[in-house]
Structures are given as structure tokens and as C-alpha cells.
Amino acid sequence: MTDSTLTTTTAPAGPPAPAPRTDSRLRTYARLGKLDVYDYYLGTFIALSAVLLPVGTLTGRTGALFGVFLVGQVFLLMAMTAFDDVTGFRDGSDITNYGPDHPLRNVNRKPLVAGALRVPEALRFAWVSAVAAALLFAVTAALAPHRPAWTTIGLVVLWVVTLQYSYGVKLSYHGFQELYLVALGFALVILPYGMVTGRATGFLLVQAVLFGFGPLMFGVYSNTNDVDGDRAVGRPTVAALTSERGNARFIGALSLVEFLTVAVASLTGVAPWWFVLVMLPASLLRLRQYLLGFRAGDIMRARRTGFAVHRLGVVLMIVANLLATLGA
């Protein structure tokens, strides 16, 4: 999702003509919506695991709430990525980042660049997905057994701000991309939990932050790879604004902050004392990701490792929630 952004410039002259469609329309739109990148949807399962025990606490109504919210966020993030692809195609950054100088990037993941879709088709898909997300979020709120004001406001803000990531006010074009990715993941964990329980525990807040770090930590490696295209269109990612060494230090600092979040939570009692031990495999894999990217110089392999770290972290947080509930 972080492969492209926007600018106010016009599309480059002579964009690729649409190629003969070899994939089904459904598959093409699935690629536009990046349905294979399911990592953003896993936060719902962290929240679910925190209310799953003891057996019988999850009712049919709250189970439906989690399900509807999950489908709603899928539609919302499909809208976000479709808008992102439209912007990246129009400003030329996707054409640069997925061109012949970047053979490791699969151009078929960008249907507009590949010529499988036209801009009006992508925009129509994005708006239909956005409307579907709004309706499903309204159903989620109606199902909620608890409605603290921050959850209702949070749903509205989540919908509005997500659509502005690289379209509308174009947040990622103004230097907010890294912060946005953490905030998005945070919201996707804490909102369903708050609607089911009416509160937000310190332990869940920590997990929400850690979940947000997942997209951030494969996003910053994508930005490192895409630095030429982002600089060409004036997209102010940290990788584009700093030197290679400065970017490496920034990503190293993020990796350390992620570990310290876990360690401090365990030391202060916000999380169980053993939480840092449960999360240690993910922390070690994060270190391997950094070494792959900035010692071995294999940024794309490091980016792929970021997905593995995120998915492992989700599994470990689910285990931690179940253990914490059983020990309560």
C-alpha cells in the first residue's frame, strides 16, 4: 500500500496503452485492491483474542460486530490502495518504480501501469469500496454493545482519513506517511475492542501500537527501494529526504523503539512481565530484517521479511492475550 503516492502534476506523456486482458476482471480488481496483502486485516483478530475467553463471553452480537468490522476495513483499505494507485500512476512514480530499472517489482501488481485498467475504472472501484465501507461501519456501530464517544468518532475519522492518504488532501505527500501507518494499525485494533468492552486497557493499547509498527516496518523498506521515484515527484518520505545513512539510522531507531515498547510495558506492569519473552522471536526476526537490508544490502528481501515479522507478531500477541486471560 505504500508503493505509490501523489502529486499535483499531470500524468506523464504517453502512458502505456491497455494490454489485452489475460486475467479475469475480478482478479484485476483484486490486484488493484491489494487483497493479497492481508496484513492490515489481522488486527481484528488481536482484539478478538482479548475477549475470547472465558468461553461464553463472546456473544452472537459481538461476534457479528467483529465480522462486519473486518469486512468493512477490507473495503476501506481496498479504496485506499486503489486511490493510491491512481495517484501513483498520474504522477509517474509507479511508472518509475515498476519500470525496467526495477525488475524485482512485479508490474502486474499495478493494473494501471500494466494497462489492465484505466483511471476511470480504478476510481469507480475506489468510490464503490469507500461507500461499502461506510455502510458496514454504520452497521458495526449499530451492533456495538458499548458506544463510548471515542469509538464512534474513531470510526468516522478512520474512514475519512484513510481516504485522504494519497487522494484528496494527500496526507502522505505532506510528510505524514510513517505516522499514518502506525495510527491506522492502532485504530484497527483498538476500535473493535472498545465497542465490545467499552474501554481500552493499557495492554491492548500497547498491542495496538505494535500492530501499527508492522505496516510501518515493511513500508519504510518499500520507501527505501522506491526512493528515486518518490524524489522525482517530491514525495517527502524519510528515505527521500535523508541520505542512505540517515535512512538506515532512522529505520534502526524505529526497530529499537518497537522493542523498547514491549520491554518497557513488561517492566512497568502495563503488560505481563513475560510479554517481552513471548515477543522475543519477533524482535529477533526484526533484527534480521535490518541486517538483511542495511548490512547485506538486500532491501527487497528485508521488505519481505517485514511481512513475516508482522505476521509472527500477530500470532504471538494472540497467544499472549489468551495466556493473560487464563491467568487473570
Side-chain angles (χ1 to χ4, degrees), residues 5 12 33 42 50 71 92 130 140 145 161 170 180 209 232 262 273 278 303:
T5 41
L42 299 177
V71 177
T140 301
V161 174
K170 302 176 179 178
Y180 170 82
V209 170
V262 178
W273 66 266
V278 170
R303 177 182 180 271

Side-chain angles (χ1 to χ4, degrees), residues 68-321:
V68 173
F69 180 76
L70 177 61
V71 177
Q73 69 174 278
V74 170
F75 276 105
L76 181 62
L77 294 176
M78 286 197 302
M80 170 186 158
T81 56
F83 282 131
D84 191 57
D85 275 16
V86 168
T87 299
F89 178 73
R90 282 175 167 173
D91 68 24
S93 60
D94 277 357
I95 295 173
T96 298
N97 293 333
Y98 286 80
D101 293 336
H102 295 272
L104 295 179
R105 306 304 293 269
N106 181 5
V107 71
N108 289 324
R109 290 185 54 76
K110 297 289 183 178
L112 291 170
V113 177
L117 288 175
R118 295 184 181 273
V119 169
E121 294 173 309
L123 285 174
R124 185 162 53 247
F125 172 82
W127 282 116
V128 169
S129 297
V131 170
L135 294 174
L136 288 165
F137 281 176
V139 174
T140 301
L143 288 169
H146 300 278
R147 297 187 185 94
W150 61 267
T151 59
T152 303
I153 294 171
L155 282 175
V156 174
V157 171
L158 174 64
W159 187 86
V160 172
V161 174
T162 299
L163 300 183
Q164 310 303 313
Y165 174 71
S166 57
Y167 202 74
V169 300
K170 302 176 179 178
L171 291 171
S172 65
Y173 190 68
H174 299 290
F176 295 102
Q177 187 206 85
E178 291 84 4
L179 177 62
Y180 170 82
L181 291 174
V182 176
L184 173 63
F186 180 88
L188 295 177
V189 173
I190 209 65
L191 286 177
Y193 182 82
M195 286 184 284
V196 169
T197 66
R199 60 195 177 96
T201 67
F203 190 26
L204 251 293
L205 291 173
V206 168
Q207 292 177 73
V209 170
L210 293 174
F211 181 78
F213 260 85
L216 172 65
M217 295 305 292
F218 49 77
V220 290
Y221 284 87
S222 288
N223 292 343
T224 301
N225 182 77
D226 296 346
V227 64
D228 293 336
D230 289 337
R231 283 175 177 163
V233 301
R235 184 189 188 193
T237 65
V238 171
L241 292 173
T242 64
S243 64
E244 289 185 14
R245 188 173 185 179
N247 183 53
R249 287 177 173 175
F250 172 70
I251 294 176
L254 289 178
S255 303
L256 179 60
V257 167
E258 181 185 39
F259 172 75
L260 290 176
T261 300
V262 178
V264 171
S266 291
L267 287 172
T268 59
V270 174
W273 66 266
W274 43 259
F275 184 56
V276 66
L277 300 178
V278 170
M279 297 300 295
L280 188 58
S283 299
L284 293 175
L285 192 56
R286 182 72 76 202
L287 175 61
R288 174 172 171 74
Q289 180 189 16
Y290 183 82
L291 294 176
L292 280 171
F294 296 102
R295 292 290 179 87
D298 195 340
I299 292 296
M300 292 306 291
R301 188 178 173 195
R303 177 182 180 271
R304 291 193 297 272
T305 302
F307 287 95
V309 178
H310 180 63
R311 294 164 188 172
L312 175 60
V314 168
V315 171
L316 295 176
M317 282 186 276
I318 289 173
V319 169
N321 278 330

